[in-house]
Amino acid sequence: MRKAICGAVFLLAAAGALAQPKATPTPDHHERKAEDVFRLQPLSGGVYALYGRGGNVGFFVGPDAVIVVDSQFKDIAPGIVEQIKSVSDKPIRYLINTHHHGDHTGGNEVFRQFAVIIAQDNVRKRMLASPADILQYYPGYLEEAKKKGDAEDVQFLENALAWAKMVKVEEIAAPVVTFDSELRIHAGGETIGIWHTPPAHTDGDSVVYFEKANVLHMGDLFFHRIIPFVDAKHGGSVTGYLTAIDGVIARVPANVVIIPGHGEVTDLAGLRAFRAFIADVLAAAKAARAAGQSKDQFLAGVSLPAYKDYDGYPDRFKETCGVAYDEVAAAP
Ligand SMILES: [Zn+2]
């Protein structure tokens, strides 16, 4: 059920249906109070990381324009704009979405008033399909929540269904410029590469590389010291995470600065540690499968003590292991 709710938040916030989206289980920074929501971190070459409530925002300040990566939630998007205005009075010209989840796209409704929103083709498709998605899956989740007597979840799911029934798809603030594999934006001497990766977190993941600044925004392809959410229902894959991360590492310099989708700004060593976590989860699932364990047996016993201090370990570790098991079991 947590997974369903997690997906629900992503979808609904993506469509801007909720003024105050219910917090996802973790990371904790989804739940910060208004007065301490934002923290701005200048990096190199006019690139900044902005921590808030939701996926980390990155932005580039050029001589003529500002280019932003991800928009968190609708209710705090005006605050994001304020933070940007505190360092530049240049117009915000483009917003890039790293993927479709609502904690990265919920602010699109605000940004679309002045910026061109850009993302990989699947991001637009997934956002426009969110009402249909909700109508398909949520009646089942609602039954489950009613059986459990979880009033908060029942309310949330009922709101979601009501929204999905009345929303007009054309009103959803989806990207208006989309691409299939790669796109480059040239601005003020900087080249910004947007690279679609193999399916990992979702099937619409992109990373954004600011060449001159040597800063990489990885969206949710990278949760730094946080247990990831792998959205298998929307094309995500645990194995795909390894392929996607390796592909990105092969393209960037060793001293690249990395903005993860969640967690603190770091470097390649931080990314490699996250890759090791994914590889360890996958290896545990493979070993369980090879030993003839059922999924339930595997989940009852699995533990990776090295990662117990990661944010979200109590809530999401076994969920991620379950996705890995399903994937291993389905592999030929
Ligand atoms: Zn995400």
Side-chain angles (χ1 to χ4, degrees):
M1 194 62 202
R2 287 314 323 169
K3 189 168 179 179
I5 295 299
C6 193
V9 170
F10 290 146
L11 288 170
L12 278 173
L18 299 174
Q20 289 290 335
K22 188 175 170 182
T24 45
T26 52
D28 292 340
H29 55 257
H30 281 253
E31 295 165 23
R32 280 185 195 150
K33 293 194 175 66
E35 59 270 23
D36 58 3
V37 164
F38 294 111
R39 183 159 50 88
L40 190 59
Q41 183 177 356
L43 303 172
S44 54
V47 177
Y48 295 73
L50 177 63
Y51 304 94
R53 183 165 50 80
N56 292 332
V57 169
F59 65 91
F60 164 72
V61 176
D64 308 312
V66 175
I67 297 166
V68 182
V69 182
D70 285 346
S71 63
Q72 299 192 344
F73 294 107
K74 182 184 175 186
D75 63 323
I76 63 163
I80 296 171
V81 173
E82 250 174 53
Q83 292 287 315
I84 294 169
K85 296 287 174 204
S86 74
V87 293
S88 173
D89 59 359
K90 301 300 174 203
I92 298 170
R93 196 149 280 162
Y94 302 108
L95 169 69
I96 302 158
N97 290 149
T98 57
H99 63 295
H100 75 281
H101 287 156
D103 56 331
H104 297 255
T105 59
N108 283 12
E109 269 194 69
V110 171
F111 279 87
R112 75 169 163 187
Q113 296 165 38
F114 44 79
V116 174
I117 304 180
I118 301 169
Q120 204 272 338
D121 295 330
N122 291 340
V123 176
R124 180 176 167 84
K125 280 185 205 155
R126 293 290 186 199
M127 286 182 72
L128 297 185
S130 63
D133 233 26
I134 288 168
L135 292 174
Q136 182 182 352
Y137 294 113
Y138 287 18
Y141 299 156
L142 182 59
E143 282 310 300
E144 240 182 87
K146 279 180 177 168
K147 266 187 219 154
K148 279 188 192 159
D150 187 332
E152 203 188 349
D153 282 358
V154 167
Q155 182 68 60
F156 178 74
L157 290 162
E158 281 176 345
N159 288 349
L161 281 160
W163 170 81
K165 278 176 195 151
M166 59 137 218
V167 72
K168 294 190 179 78
V169 167
E170 62 272 21
E171 288 171 2
I172 294 173
V176 293
V177 173
T178 65
F179 61 93
D180 53 4
S181 58
E182 294 199 4
L183 185 75
R184 277 164 292 283
I185 300 174
H186 305 272
E190 178 59 282
T191 300
I192 302 159
I194 314 171
W195 311 331
H196 178 44
T197 64
H201 180 63
T202 69
D203 61 6
D205 304 325
S206 290
V207 300
V208 181
Y209 183 53
F210 300 88
E211 270 180 28
K212 209 167 165 185
N214 192 25
V215 176
L216 176 70
H217 190 309
M218 290 190 68
D220 284 358
L221 196 57
F222 182 17
F223 287 67
H224 185 211
R225 298 188 63 78
I226 296 172
I227 302 294
F229 165 59
V230 181
D231 191 353
K233 199 169 268 170
H234 298 111
S237 154
V238 180
T239 316
Y241 255 100
L242 297 180
T243 313
I245 290 170
D246 290 345
V248 171
I249 289 176
R251 292 187 70 167
V252 292
N255 62 348
V256 67
V257 170
I258 306 178
I259 305 173
H262 297 274
E264 297 290 316
V265 166
T266 183
D267 54 15
L268 268 190
L271 177 59
R272 288 203 172 97
F274 174 68
R275 189 203 184 280
F277 166 78
I278 297 283
D280 286 349
V281 167
L282 202 56
K286 281 183 182 164
R289 212 31 215 170
Q293 285 185 1
S294 69
K295 185 176 174 182
D296 285 347
Q297 286 168 332
F298 169 55
L299 293 183
V302 66
S303 161
L304 290 174
Y307 304 103
K308 274 194 172 146
D309 61 338
Y310 276 28
D311 244 24
Y313 191 93
D315 306 313
R316 274 203 316 277
F317 172 65
K318 294 208 174 183
E319 184 180 300
T320 304
C321 288
V323 175
Y325 185 95
D326 289 343
E327 219 173 285
V328 170

